[in-house]
Amino acid sequence: MAEGAVVMEEGREGSAGRAGQGGPDPRVDALRDAVSRLRRALAAHPARLPDRDAAEDELAALDAMARAGEPEVSRLRRSLLLVAGAVGSVSALAPALGELRAAVDGFGEVRVPRQG
């Protein structure tokens, strides 16, 4: 039972909890890399995209969350949904968008605390 409590605590602490266990959270690094890659791909894409500004704003928000060290999973998923809606139909951006999705998925499911 004590082991389960440690795992739950580690899940809540995110990168801060992992820093004492050998360094920063690799999921945060993967998120930062994926955000950077998609930002570069979007900047290099020559076509006019009606929702480019929205995608760039959300990518900036994702980058800020990653830099802070412990992103909120529900916020990550919301940002991913907005970015995907803005650029998901552009096949040239699909590989970078897929990498971003994988990075967000690395943070796991949103956990709702039990009451009782």
Side-chain angles (χ1 to χ4, degrees):
M1 189 152 179
E3 182 178 337
V6 171
V7 171
M8 295 269 293
E9 188 64 27
E10 180 182 324
R12 270 186 257 138
E13 289 179 5
S15 63
R18 294 174 188 271
Q21 296 177 355
D25 189 340
R27 300 174 304 170
V28 172
D29 292 337
L31 178 62
R32 289 183 66 192
D33 290 346
V35 167
S36 178
R37 180 175 179 212
L38 185 52
R39 286 175 105 175
R40 287 190 313 268
L42 184 58
H45 190 68
R48 182 190 172 293
L49 301 173
D51 293 328
R52 182 185 294 264
D53 290 341
E56 289 172 347
D57 289 347
E58 285 306 314
L59 288 169
L62 283 165
D63 186 55
M65 284 186 271
R67 288 182 188 280
E70 187 179 339
E72 181 183 332
V73 176
S74 61
R75 180 68 173 104
L76 288 176
R77 292 191 182 283
R78 178 182 176 275
S79 290
L80 174 63
L81 182 61
L82 291 170
V83 171
V87 302
S89 64
V90 181
S91 61
L93 301 175
L97 183 59
E99 185 180 325
L100 180 62
R101 179 180 179 193
V104 169
D105 285 347
F107 285 88
E109 296 296 319
V110 176
R111 292 195 176 108
V112 178
R114 286 185 175 182
Q115 294 182 358

